[in-house]
């Protein structure tokens, strides 16, 4: 069966779903399409025993009003598309393709035995600042639009929803806009049938944060939010409290400084209550401000120390998450250093005391000035390769337009038909991040991986490279 399946997959050229979680990778659904569900909310549904991932369906034509897509999974690695949970309606005052339909979140009402979707509903100039509400008898939808309202008379921008596992009550989280009277983030209780907000229970005053999500541990509540820099990721912060009504702590930064939270913005946190441990996943968006519809996802396990009252994110290129036990394991890869790479044209090795081997590959440009990693060991089938890079030699903005990424080409064994595009989102100078591609290498130790520069809207300069790490093929 497996070989027949493998044969069919190869025949239909459907990109495989991944067993591992690979932050920043191109994730495919079981139909082979890239998963399109941004500003996500993930709901575990008791009835189906499955996870349901709701998100913004972004297209180049309608990056904000594409509606809400839904995918489902029983293990968080293989996702099946359920199509549109809330499709836009032409001419509708709140859910037309010209509207803003952002950050959808779904919860179940036991009282009325139905599912409620809430989101940030707006017009294209963000002048309405409302919360949309839609309802469905089944979790996958389609959801029926109910209304878009100003929550308790206030404004509402980025939307989050939190359900307390101790009493099952749900709360709306929202930033209240950028006006002088706004710049707060609210936690407001939602009524028990999830049809309307009841009352504000806490206001994070004037921190000017957005993209709120809350997670719960036995001892604490932790609220994560980002700063407000549009589609340019920044340092996500967290607050801690014993109770939802506070007092809440000062905000603190959750990821290594200047990584811009590994180039991501918070949208949700997912609790996995396994038989061996409880794991909380950070669910973030790696926005690409130049093509926001083609943004990726950053999911990372959250580390919490109740004694020290700290919460933090560490980076893993590739990890295996077992939703049954709640355990996760980083996968070990083999590293190939810049030190041993071959350079061509104007590409060269430059001293860099922050780099793995004190040297960085720079001057990568177009298809003449390239670098090549040699003697790379492969498994003969698709495997993840992480490219460690910095964008130090390039500014974020030239002539008024933000260019928050470099773009490189990656070629295996000198064969142009293997060419893939590698997007390298900006980092601060001297900060090394990684971004993955799934490559098919030949079995054995004789592979080469060459990297050149592609056009990023400004020039053909690829990011500087520190090393690549090759991960074992799955299974
Ligand atoms: C996840 O579940 C799907 C079927 O629902 C299965 O094909 C896949 O192998 C599973 N992946 C893991 C990592 O268990
Ligand atoms: C997935 O692919 C199947 C077979 O091609 C098709 O019938 C189905 O509509 C697709 N589902 C989605 C959600 O695109
Ligand atoms: C959005 O709504 C605001 C407030 O009603 C209004 O001032 C603005 O013109 C609207 N924008 C569009 C594109 O309709
Ligand atoms: C929203 O709340 C702020 C305080 O957080 C208040 O100053 C403002 O007037 C409220 N706006 C509306 C429309 O009620
Ligand atoms: C939901 O609860 C509110 C009171 O909290 C009630 O007024 C309303 O009728 C209920 N709606 C439904 C559909 O049960
Ligand atoms: C890359 O190669 C092609 C020819 O194969 C050439 O036309 C193109 O200008 C090159 N691009 C750069 C940026 O060097």
């Amino acid at each position: 069966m497996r070989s027949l399946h493998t044969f069919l997959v190869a025949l239909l050229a459907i990109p495989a779903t991944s067993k591992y979680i690979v932050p920043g990778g191109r994730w495919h659904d079981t139909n082979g399409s890239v998963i399109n569900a941004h500003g996500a909310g993930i709901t575990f549904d008791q009835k189906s025993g499955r996870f349901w991932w709701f998100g913004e369906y972004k297209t180049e034509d309608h990056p904000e009003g594409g509606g809400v897509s839904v995918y489902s999974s029983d293990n968080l690695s293989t996702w099946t598309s359920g199509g549109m949970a809330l499709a836009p309606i032409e001419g509708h005052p709140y859910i037309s393709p010209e509207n803003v339909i952002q950050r959808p979140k779904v919860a179940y009402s036991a009282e009325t035995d139905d599912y409620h979707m809430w989101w940030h509903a707006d017009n294209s100039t963000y002048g309405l600042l409302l919360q949309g509400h839609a309802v469905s008898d089944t979790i996958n939808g389609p959801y029926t639009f109910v209304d878009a309202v100003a929550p308790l008379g206030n404004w509402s921008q980025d939307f989050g929803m939190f359900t307390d596992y101790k009493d099952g009550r749900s709360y709306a989280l929202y930033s209240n806009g950028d006006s002088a009277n706004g710049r707060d983030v609210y936690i407001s209780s939602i009524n028990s049938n999830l049809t309307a907000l009841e009352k504000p229970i806490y206001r994070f005053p004037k921190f000017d944060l957005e993209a709120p999500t809350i997670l719960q541990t036995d001892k604490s509540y932790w609220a994560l939010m980002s700063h407000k820099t549009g589609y340019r990721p920044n340092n996500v912060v967290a607050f801690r409290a014993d109770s939802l009504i506070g007092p809440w702590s000062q905000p603190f930064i959750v990821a290594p400084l200047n990584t811009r939270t590994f180039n991501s913005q918070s949208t949700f946190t997912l609790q996995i209550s396994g038989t061996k441990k409880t794991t909380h996943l950070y669910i973030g968006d790696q926005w690409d401000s130049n093509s926001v519809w083609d943004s990726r996802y950053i999911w990372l396990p959250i580390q919490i120390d109740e004694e020290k009252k700290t919460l933090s994110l560490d980076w893993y290129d590739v990890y295996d998450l077992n939703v049954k036990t709640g355990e996760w394991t980083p996968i070990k890869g083999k590293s190939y250093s810049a030190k041993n790479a071959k350079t061509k044209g104007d590409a060269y090795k430059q001293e860099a005391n922050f780099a793995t081997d004190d040297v960085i590959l720079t001057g990568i440009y177009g298809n003449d000035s390239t670098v090549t990693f040699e003697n790379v060991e492969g498994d003969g089938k698709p495997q993840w390769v992480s490219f460690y890079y910095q964008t130090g030699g390039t500014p974020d903005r030239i002539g008024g337009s933000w260019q928050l990424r470099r773009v490189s080409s990656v070629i295996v064994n000198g064969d142009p038909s293997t060419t893939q595009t590698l997007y390298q989102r900006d980092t601060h100078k001297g900060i090394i991040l990684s971004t993955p591609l799934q490559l098919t290498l030949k079995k054995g130790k004789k592979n080469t991986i060459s990297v050149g520069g592609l056009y990023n809207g400004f020039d053909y300069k690829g990011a500087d490279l520190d090393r690549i790490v090759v991960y074992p093929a799955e299974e």
Side-chain angles (χ1 to χ4, degrees), residues 109 111-112 114 116 169 190-196 198:
S109 161
E111 200 171 306
T112 44
D114 54 8
H116 294 260
R169 293 302 304 270
I190 309 181
N191 67 8
S192 56
N193 57 30
L194 303 174
T195 56
E198 274 178 352

Side-chain angles (χ1 to χ4, degrees), residues 6-262:
T6 309
F7 171 72
L8 284 175
V9 165
L11 193 71
L12 299 171
I14 292 177
T17 62
S18 182
K19 170 178 189 295
Y20 300 139
I21 296 184
V22 186
R26 287 173 81 81
W27 299 357
H28 295 95
D29 65 16
T30 50
N31 263 15
S33 303
V34 173
I35 295 179
N36 190 338
H38 310 272
I42 299 177
T43 305
F44 181 76
D45 176 43
Q46 299 289 350
K47 284 193 194 177
S48 56
R50 291 174 76 77
F51 295 92
W52 296 81
W53 173 358
F54 297 87
E56 300 161 30
Y57 186 78
K58 289 186 176 296
T59 63
E60 188 164 359
D61 289 345
H62 297 293
E64 311 302 343
V68 177
S69 54
V70 59
Y71 297 82
S72 74
S73 175
D74 55 11
N75 54 30
L76 298 175
S77 62
T78 300
W79 291 94
T80 303
S81 171
M84 298 304 289
L86 182 74
I89 299 171
E90 289 290 346
H92 192 282
Y94 302 113
I95 56 165
S96 87
E98 271 53 64
N99 282 109
V100 163
I101 305 169
Q102 286 179 344
R103 298 182 177 272
K105 307 287 178 276
V106 169
Y108 172 68
S109 161
E111 200 171 306
T112 44
D113 187 27
D114 54 8
Y115 297 86
H116 294 260
M117 179 188 289
W118 288 85
W119 69 94
H120 170 204
D122 222 316
N123 67 11
S124 61
T125 50
Y126 294 84
L128 298 178
L129 298 168
L130 303 176
Q131 289 175 2
H133 175 214
V135 64
S136 171
D137 289 336
T138 56
I139 186 154
N140 54 310
Y143 284 73
T144 305
F145 178 84
V146 177
D147 206 356
V149 292
L152 309 165
N154 212 288
W155 306 289
S156 181
Q157 215 170 29
D158 278 2
F159 185 79
M161 192 154 65
F162 165 70
T163 303
D164 191 317
Y165 63 66
K166 288 183 179 148
D167 60 10
R169 293 302 304 270
S170 292
Y171 299 83
L173 321 170
Y174 47 100
S175 46
N176 65 344
D178 302 328
S179 73
N181 286 338
R183 301 183 181 272
D184 306 309
V185 170
Y186 274 98
I187 308 176
S188 295
S189 55
I190 309 181
N191 67 8
S192 56
N193 57 30
L194 303 174
T195 56
L197 269 54
E198 274 178 352
K199 59 174 191 294
I201 64 157
Y202 189 79
R203 178 168 71 103
F204 295 91
K206 306 298 168 218
F207 284 104
D208 204 15
L209 299 169
E210 64 182 6
T213 175
I214 289 182
L215 72 91
Q216 180 178 17
T217 51
D218 285 345
K219 293 201 176 79
S220 305
Y221 295 87
W222 308 82
L224 279 69
M225 300 170 206
S226 79
H227 295 79
K228 286 183 179 170
T229 50
Y231 284 123
R232 306 186 304 278
N234 58 55
N235 293 309
V236 166
V237 295
F239 301 76
R240 196 206 68 84
D242 292 332
S243 157
L244 275 180
I245 57 171
W248 286 83
S249 74
Q250 272 288 311
F252 55 91
I253 289 168
V254 303
L257 270 179
N258 297 328
T259 65
R260 307 178 185 177
T261 322
F262 306 112

